[in-house]
Amino acid sequence: MSATYTAEAIREDSVLTDIRIITDGKKRHMWGKYGLRRETELAAQLKGDKIPLLIGCGIGVAAKELLAQKDRTLLILDCEKKILEASGLKEELRKHPNLVWINSSSPENAALHIRELETNSSKKVQLLKNPFYLRLSPFYGLTEKLLTEQSGKKAEFPVWPKFQQEKPRILLLTSQYFLMGEIVSACQRQGVPHMFINMDAKEMELDQFVARISTAINTFRPDFVLTVNHLGVDQEGVLNTLLHKFQLPLASWFVDNPMLILPLYQQQADKNTAIFTWDADRMDSLREMGFSNIFHLPLGTDQTRFLPSKGCTESKWARDISFVGNSMVFKTEKRMKASGISGALAERYKEVAHAFGQGNEHSVTEFLKNRYPELLPEYDKLLTAHRKLAFETLVIWQATLEYRLSCVEQTLGFNPLIVGDKGWNQLLPEDQTWDYHSELSYYEDLPRFYPCSKINFNCTSQQMKGAVNQRVFDVPACNGFILTDHRYQMEKLFEPGKEIAVYNSPEEIPQLVEKYLNDEPARQQIIKAARKRILAEHTYDCRIKVLIKNMRQAYE
């Protein structure tokens, strides 16, 4: 695309001020000593509510000024990998939810994608041209020419009637997330036609991404696309644009907190995307974001994996009580680093997390507004959506750590087996009141592990204050007994006391553990009732049937 060159970033006091290009031994500068001023002038050329298209990211001043404007979408056309590696701007800027980066190596595809984005937004695109890039490569001038020629033209995409058959055709955006395997198995058992499209974790160029999606859609002719936790959906909006052109709805099933993911995609919120959430408490927040097709879809179990066994097959796992779960020690450390917090936020995040865990508020930002308004200016200084979401996750994970620890400590009088990460060794005393086991395989080990404990103890993450987790379905499915914390949404799934044993506070745990350890008939009665309810209503076969029914009603 461009002539062979090397690029060098020039910084003054850690601030990027220019880019030096060396071609055939000759040095050229992008802006020279007037770089900051010229990029500010470039940003000032934008008129009205048009969508700015920066041809060339330059030193990032114009891009940052435009992104600082509230609710302003910014398009950047810049394929100069060497310059971007030297400046580090692509990694820095692409985290912004309002940025769409056009990185196609084909002028035709780049121009087409820009026009599609313009059509979907109903606003005109205004080119803000960095003359250095026009001189550097003919790619940018050719793209500009094609944009002019395509003005007013629309790309043609085949459209076909959806949901015409009893069993719809589902295009699956595959990922490494555990739930996709359960979805595939459920589709196979029910004879639902489905096709995989593997979205690699590695970044793909726009051309490759568009080609892969378009080929799959044209070949398979699905009724809708299904993903988990929005995996495979790009923040730039390429997939969203293509699905609109094909008039193809997207179903995204969230089995983690959607409010820690979807703020990065808020510009794409529309009726073409159906959100399924395992937590009913999130539905109002999702509507406020702009999504209109929202459905509650809890977790479940794969009854072909979590089968009843003839007893404990591994004597080393045999215990009166066990707990399987993450300590959250290392997860909080990672979120702390990702958020980059300092000052008052770093000093008080544990205080905030403790108070958050004690209350009923589900949103960390709303909790800050109501309980810690003095911290909001520090929160706003985090600037990017990624850092803000990292801080919100940090608060939730820290609250989970404290809550989970307070519950597990109540079981120490019964010599529990704790299965999880090594963070438990930092949290629990170094004595003989508990045993540690490293993490087990969800698929290979847990179906055999759960029946080995008289009581499988459970305490839910603070990311879901009303919903239930996977374990309440998996344990009874393989004839295990579970004692779990009460969550109000479980009352629509089970009858507490009859189909599931619950505690309402950590203080109740020792008494209930003592009770059920000494009452095997009660345990067996609850296991039998729970398993009957699960097989009738809470398998992934049931969940896929409900998902399909809701998609048909929303988009037929």
Side-chain angles (χ1 to χ4, degrees):
M1 174 175 43
S2 303
T4 302
Y5 63 83
T6 58
E8 176 185 344
I10 299 174
R11 291 178 169 86
E12 296 181 8
D13 297 327
S14 300
V15 177
L16 182 65
T17 58
D18 203 359
I19 302 289
R20 181 184 292 125
I21 303 296
I22 305 174
T23 308
D24 298 328
K26 297 180 181 179
K27 298 180 180 180
R28 290 189 291 165
H29 289 263
M30 181 178 293
W31 288 117
K33 61 181 180 179
Y34 302 111
L36 296 175
R37 188 189 75 188
R38 290 181 177 178
E39 288 223 356
T40 299
E41 293 172 348
L42 188 63
Q45 295 175 16
L46 183 64
K47 298 178 181 179
D49 64 347
K50 292 184 177 180
I51 302 173
L53 168 61
L54 273 179
I55 293 186
C57 188
I59 58 176
V61 173
K64 292 175 182 178
E65 288 194 13
L66 292 166
L67 287 172
Q69 299 177 22
K70 188 177 181 180
D71 298 328
R72 171 79 74 182
T73 298
L74 171 64
L75 313 182
I76 296 181
L77 177 64
D78 190 336
C79 304
E80 303 304 321
K81 293 183 179 180
K82 293 179 180 178
I83 294 178
L84 292 169
E85 288 174 2
S87 69
L89 284 170
K90 187 171 185 180
E91 287 303 310
E92 177 184 350
L93 295 176
R94 69 178 305 169
K95 297 176 182 179
H96 198 290
N98 292 345
L99 174 64
V100 177
W101 201 288
I102 312 296
N103 63 349
S104 173
S105 58
S106 161
E108 292 79 9
N109 285 341
L112 181 60
H113 181 46
I114 292 165
R115 285 303 177 209
E116 289 170 355
L117 292 171
E118 182 182 54
T119 301
N120 287 341
S121 69
S122 72
K123 294 181 180 179
K124 291 292 184 181
V125 167
Q126 179 181 339
L127 274 61
L128 303 177
K129 296 176 282 188
N130 183 333
F132 180 86
Y133 285 81
L134 296 173
R135 296 193 300 269
L136 181 65
S137 168
F139 167 81
Y140 301 98
L142 183 55
T143 303
E144 179 187 5
K145 179 182 178 183
L146 289 170
L147 281 171
T148 303
E149 293 174 351
Q150 291 177 2
S151 180
K153 296 181 180 180
K154 294 184 178 181
E156 294 183 3
F157 289 81
V159 176
W160 53 91
K162 309 298 191 297
F163 299 98
Q164 299 298 297
Q165 304 300 320
E166 178 185 356
K167 295 180 178 179
R169 302 170 68 82
I170 306 176
L171 179 62
L172 302 171
L173 297 186
T174 61
S175 69
Q176 296 180 351
Y177 200 89
F178 82 95
L179 186 58
M180 189 54 75
E182 280 77 356
I183 292 172
V184 170
S185 297
C187 287
Q188 290 173 340
R189 286 190 292 270
Q190 298 177 68
V192 175
H194 58 281
M195 176 182 178
F196 299 104
I197 177 168
N198 186 22
M199 308 306 296
D200 298 324
K202 298 179 181 178
E203 180 181 343
M204 284 186 280
E205 282 206 355
L206 176 63
D207 320 29
Q208 183 183 1
F209 184 86
V210 171
R212 183 174 294 184
I213 295 287
S214 298
T215 300
I217 292 174
N218 278 313
T219 301
F220 184 62
R221 296 292 177 101
D223 292 290
F224 66 94
V225 176
L226 174 61
T227 185
V228 176
N229 282 357
H230 241 48
L231 292 170
V233 181
D234 62 296
Q235 295 176 29
E236 291 81 6
V238 177
L239 177 64
N240 186 54
T241 299
L242 279 173
L243 296 184
H244 273 277
K245 294 298 181 182
F246 284 105
Q247 298 181 22
L248 191 60
L250 170 69
S252 191
W253 186 3
F254 279 88
V255 294
D256 284 310
N257 189 341
M259 305 314 295
L260 298 178
I261 300 171
L262 283 178
L264 300 173
Y265 300 85
Q266 191 160 359
Q267 296 293 322
Q268 302 177 34
D270 57 34
K271 64 181 180 180
N272 197 61
T273 298
I275 301 296
F276 292 81
T277 173
W278 97 126
D279 187 353
D281 292 332
R282 306 296 174 184
M283 298 178 74
D284 288 342
S285 298
L286 290 166
R287 288 189 186 92
E288 291 172 3
M289 288 186 66
F291 295 99
S292 55
N293 290 313
I294 308 166
F295 308 95
H296 179 217
L297 192 65
L299 291 165
T301 193
D302 185 337
Q303 74 278 15
T304 65
R305 292 184 184 273
F306 287 86
L307 292 165
S309 64
K310 296 180 180 180
C312 183
T313 59
E314 296 283 347
S315 59
K316 63 182 179 180
W317 291 343
R319 288 294 191 283
D320 281 346
I321 185 170
S322 65
F323 171 73
V324 178
N326 196 284
S327 72
M328 313 308 290
V329 169
F330 304 116
K331 286 193 172 186
T332 54
E333 289 177 358
K334 289 180 179 179
R335 291 300 89 196
M336 181 80 170
K337 183 178 180 180
S339 66
I341 57 174
S342 59
L345 288 182
E347 294 169 2
R348 300 181 63 186
Y349 81 89
K350 289 186 178 180
E351 173 192 344
V352 173
H354 178 76
F356 177 80
Q358 298 294 313
N360 295 320
E361 177 59 61
H362 303 281
S363 166
V364 173
T365 53
E366 289 300 315
F367 183 75
L368 284 177
K369 291 176 184 177
N370 296 327
R371 290 285 300 275
Y372 293 90
E374 71 276 15
L375 294 180
L376 282 176
E378 296 297 318
Y379 173 78
D380 290 336
K381 288 180 182 178
L382 297 178
L383 297 180
T384 68
H386 278 267
R387 291 182 64 193
K388 288 179 178 178
L389 291 176
F391 174 73
E392 293 175 39
T393 310
L394 169 64
V395 170
I396 294 172
W397 284 172
Q398 179 64 31
T400 299
L401 185 155
E402 293 184 14
Y403 171 69
R404 190 165 283 178
L405 178 60
S406 71
C407 292
V408 170
E409 285 177 333
Q410 296 292 327
T411 71
L412 295 183
F414 303 92
N415 192 31
L417 176 62
I418 309 298
V419 179
D421 61 288
K422 293 182 178 180
W424 286 112
N425 294 312
Q426 299 180 29
L427 297 178
L428 294 174
E430 296 180 6
D431 55 27
Q432 301 303 312
T433 60
W434 66 287
D435 294 319
Y436 172 74
H437 194 294
S438 58
E439 294 171 302
L440 293 173
S441 166
Y442 177 77
Y443 292 118
E444 301 300 325
D445 297 326
L446 289 184
R448 296 184 298 119
F449 176 84
Y450 289 144
C452 288
S453 295
K454 293 180 181 178
I455 296 177
N456 289 274
F457 183 70
N458 186 46
C459 45
T460 314
S461 167
Q462 291 291 64
Q463 71 164 320
M464 44 205 214
K465 293 184 176 182
V468 299
N469 62 17
Q470 183 85 26
R471 202 163 290 116
V472 302
F473 303 106
D474 289 343
V475 173
C478 57
N479 271 358
F481 178 83
I482 188 167
L483 174 62
T484 187
D485 45 355
H486 181 267
R487 289 292 185 265
Y488 82 89
Q489 291 178 33
M490 72 168 48
E491 294 175 9
K492 294 183 178 180
L493 305 170
F494 299 99
E495 184 178 341
K498 180 180 179 180
E499 297 172 323
I500 192 165
V502 300
Y503 59 91
N504 293 289
S505 69
E507 291 73 25
E508 294 182 359
I509 293 170
Q511 180 183 354
L512 288 169
V513 170
E514 186 78 37
K515 170 187 174 181
Y516 285 112
L517 282 179
N518 294 299
D519 194 345
E520 183 177 358
R523 296 200 311 268
Q524 293 302 322
Q525 188 174 3
I526 290 176
I527 290 171
K528 182 178 180 180
R531 189 166 191 275
K532 181 179 179 181
R533 181 79 178 267
I534 289 167
L535 293 179
E537 300 179 18
H538 303 318
T539 66
Y540 281 114
D541 292 48
C542 299
R543 299 292 186 252
I544 290 300
K545 288 178 182 178
V546 171
L547 188 148
I548 289 172
K549 178 182 178 182
N550 286 327
M551 289 298 291
R552 186 184 297 277
Q553 290 176 347
Y555 297 104
E556 190 172 18

